[in-house]
Amino acid sequence: MAKRAQPITLVQGIGGAFVLLVILAILGPLGAVMIRAEGVNGLRPADWAAVRFTLLQAVLSAVVSCVAAIPVARALARRRFRGRGAYIALMGAPFILPVIVAVMGLLAIFGRAGWLNAALEGIGAGTIEIYGLAGVVMAHVFLNLPLATRLILQAWLSVPSERIRLAHSLNFTAQDMRRHFEWPLLRATLPGAALIIFLICTTSFAVALILGGGPSATTVELAIYQAFQFDFDLGRAALLGLIQVGICVGAGVVAWRFATATEFGGGLDRPAMHWPGDPHLSRLWDGLALFAAGAFLLLPLAAVTGQGVGAIAGLPLSTWEAALRSILLALASTAFAVTLALPIALLIAGKAARAGLEGVSLLSIAVSPLVIGTGLFLIVFPIADPVALSLPITGLVNALVALPFLLRALIPAATQAEATQGRLADALGMQGTARLRHAILPRVRRPLGFGAGLAAAFSMGDLGVIALFSTQGQETLPLEMYRLFGSYRTNDAQGAAVLLMALSLGMFWLFDRGGRVNAAS
């Protein structure tokens, strides 16, 4: 009998080489940052204020996102209505939406000239201010509410129907359901969800760049950018980069420590049942929660689309050139990310020490893109002009950022493909590229297309590393849009926002759709 699941030697060898390449690409710049960093005495009072603001806004964003997500996830878990699938799909849109477009949408509603302030002024109730801590937290809630909702919803849907049937037979009330089901479920899910969002918000750059700024609303990432662009103080930028890494690693360790699973046991995969203890008033609250969350997510997108779609035709030539530059950069970054991810996923799928190998991919989450960019600048600066290499460096960093998401999508599919097709491939003597082409690729096309779509959307909307390096004539579309907005060319900025949103969503759809065509289940 043939041995089961023989390794694809060539592909796995390439995967091992790529793992080393990823380690070098992340730890090399981090090492350069550590060498160049000044002592703690090099920090100014404004830098300590940036550290405090980073932690404060991340805590508030995580808490508000999770608290607001609870009633939305509860309603989605308990109700069945027409359009429920589309509503859940909407929850994924802000994840691939360029951050700068989301901020433009929020400004269209809550900004000084936004719809809400116009309405408040109309009734003589004054205006609200979106810039500063409130605006940064609001933008982070807009971007992370869907993520929190999806995480909590998955936990809610994990309760087996058999447990709900037992609750019916015991005549559980609403209070009993909260005590025996909902509270244990939330206690197991919320800490992990909050810590993930906290980690995301500590590395947020574009939100703080537009809605923050100033001594009282600067994040560490923004302080790195300012030390780089305005003071050209590389030692201080490096020190701030190390502090940023410390915050991310600390949050990651705490998230790993608090990661727990709900303990409702398994079921027979029966259809979901109606929960007992469901008075009419709770249906009203569920409806209000779904309406409020939907309005909060859709209105900014509708506003930016409505205001910008008419300005697309009149966009200046530089914006179209920036759009073309972004498309080419996104395609190159996606191709590089896929080239790295597929062999690494196949290597991990066939290895016992997969936990350690997967941990390598998480390095690009622990080390923020701006820190990697700072390190690459320090490495390149003595030997070449970093500005001339701004686009290749941005593409490299974007590929590293997308790598963990690609691997998360690919590894389960690659493991299953080896488990189900490996024995037959061995019996037929299929190895190397033949095994990859006929046994593996047809079964990983769906996650590969999905992951490539995410990578392309991330790269299209990136406004981080390119802001460090780029000069006139090298702007990507997000940077061009930010400069239009900063020079008060609001109509052009809104048109660029619609164009950027369409390109990002379109590239995600094309890759995701391409992965599903003729793909094996």
Side-chain angles (χ1 to χ4, degrees):
M1 180 179 292
K3 293 181 180 178
R4 186 176 181 276
Q6 291 294 321
I8 306 172
T9 306
L10 176 61
V11 177
Q12 290 188 341
I14 295 173
F18 284 170
V19 168
L20 296 176
L21 181 63
V22 170
I23 293 173
L24 182 64
I26 296 173
L27 295 187
L30 181 60
V33 167
M34 293 176 69
I35 293 171
R36 186 58 186 261
E38 298 175 349
V40 178
N41 293 334
L43 291 178
R44 304 171 182 174
D47 298 328
W48 289 113
V51 174
R52 289 193 295 272
F53 181 78
T54 299
L55 297 174
L56 175 63
Q57 61 84 20
V59 168
L60 290 176
S61 300
V63 170
V64 176
S65 297
C66 288
V67 170
I70 292 173
V72 184
R74 188 173 189 262
L76 286 172
R78 291 155 56 101
R79 308 296 168 203
R80 297 293 180 270
F81 55 91
R82 184 173 296 179
R84 178 176 177 272
Y87 192 100
I88 295 175
L90 168 70
M91 292 288 160
F95 192 63
I96 56 175
L97 189 70
V99 175
I100 191 170
V101 174
V103 174
M104 287 287 291
L106 290 172
L107 285 171
I109 300 294
F110 302 101
R112 288 168 185 161
W115 296 355
L116 181 60
N117 275 329
L120 290 175
E121 281 186 331
I123 61 174
T127 58
I128 61 171
E129 180 60 64
I130 192 174
Y131 293 96
L133 177 63
V136 171
V137 172
M138 180 189 292
H140 284 157
V141 172
F142 176 84
L143 293 166
N144 292 297
L145 173 63
L147 174 62
T149 301
R150 294 290 287 264
L151 291 173
I152 298 171
L153 176 62
Q154 289 304 316
W156 230 295
L157 296 178
S158 68
V159 179
S161 292
E162 288 78 7
R163 297 300 181 97
I164 306 299
R165 185 188 301 274
L166 179 61
H168 274 288
S169 66
L170 295 175
N171 294 322
F172 269 25
T173 64
Q175 185 176 359
D176 294 328
M177 292 301 290
R178 283 194 290 272
R179 178 183 175 189
H180 295 286
F181 287 89
E182 295 180 331
W183 172 240
L185 178 151
L186 292 174
R187 190 172 53 193
T189 308
L190 282 180
L195 283 164
I196 290 172
I197 294 171
F198 174 87
L199 182 61
I200 293 172
C201 293
T202 58
T203 59
S204 172
F205 171 69
V207 168
L209 180 66
I210 300 172
L211 297 178
S216 61
T218 296
T219 61
V220 174
E221 294 262 304
L222 188 55
I224 295 172
Y225 170 77
Q226 291 169 345
F228 216 96
Q229 282 285 331
F230 303 144
D231 305 329
F232 199 64
D233 188 343
L234 297 181
R236 184 165 143 260
L239 178 58
L240 289 166
L242 281 185
I243 291 174
Q244 179 67 56
V245 172
I247 293 173
C248 293
V249 171
V253 170
V254 175
W256 172 77
R257 174 67 181 82
F258 280 88
T260 57
T262 53
E263 298 178 351
F264 290 108
L268 299 177
D269 297 329
R270 291 194 173 102
M273 291 186 63
H274 179 73
W275 282 45
D278 187 17
H280 290 295
L281 186 59
S282 70
R283 299 181 184 182
L284 175 62
W285 283 116
D286 287 349
L288 288 174
L290 292 173
F291 175 79
F296 180 61
L297 295 175
L298 279 179
L299 279 179
L301 300 182
V304 76
T305 303
Q307 293 178 352
V309 71
I312 292 180
L315 287 173
L317 178 62
S318 61
T319 303
W320 293 106
E321 291 174 346
L324 177 61
R325 210 172 286 122
S326 282
I327 292 172
L328 296 176
L329 182 65
L331 291 175
S333 175
T334 302
F336 187 48
V338 169
T339 302
L340 287 175
L342 187 56
I344 293 176
L346 293 175
L347 174 68
I348 292 174
K351 287 286 184 181
R354 56 184 302 168
L357 290 171
E358 286 187 64
V360 171
S361 69
L362 299 179
L363 280 173
S364 59
I365 294 179
V367 184
S368 81
L370 221 59
V371 175
I372 298 175
T374 303
L376 289 173
F377 185 95
L378 293 171
I379 293 172
V380 171
F381 185 60
I383 56 177
D385 180 10
V387 174
L389 299 173
S390 60
L391 292 177
I393 289 175
T394 302
L396 169 64
V397 176
N398 287 345
L400 292 175
V401 169
L403 186 60
F405 300 95
L406 264 163
L407 289 177
R408 276 291 85 208
L410 279 174
I411 290 171
T415 303
Q416 186 176 13
E418 274 295 333
T420 58
Q421 305 298 315
R423 191 189 298 273
L424 178 61
D426 291 338
L428 297 174
M430 294 172 59
Q431 296 295 330
T433 53
R435 186 188 186 102
L436 179 66
R437 179 182 176 188
H438 297 290
I440 304 299
L441 277 181
R443 285 154 190 85
V444 301
R445 279 187 58 180
R446 285 174 185 269
L448 189 63
F450 174 75
L454 285 181
F458 289 166
S459 183
M460 278 298 304
D462 174 66
L463 177 62
V465 177
I466 190 66
L468 283 181
F469 291 85
S470 178
T471 59
Q472 196 75 25
Q474 291 184 317
E475 298 93 340
T476 57
L477 187 53
L479 185 58
E480 170 74 3
M481 179 184 157
Y482 173 67
R483 289 180 176 171
L484 289 172
F485 181 73
S487 57
Y488 301 102
R489 296 169 63 181
T490 307
N491 286 338
D492 287 341
Q494 289 170 340
V498 175
L499 179 62
L500 178 58
M501 182 168 60
L503 288 174
S504 298
L505 298 180
M507 291 192 80
F508 173 79
W509 182 84
L510 281 175
F511 279 108
D512 185 44
R513 176 65 180 163
R516 284 184 279 129
V517 172
N518 297 326
S521 59

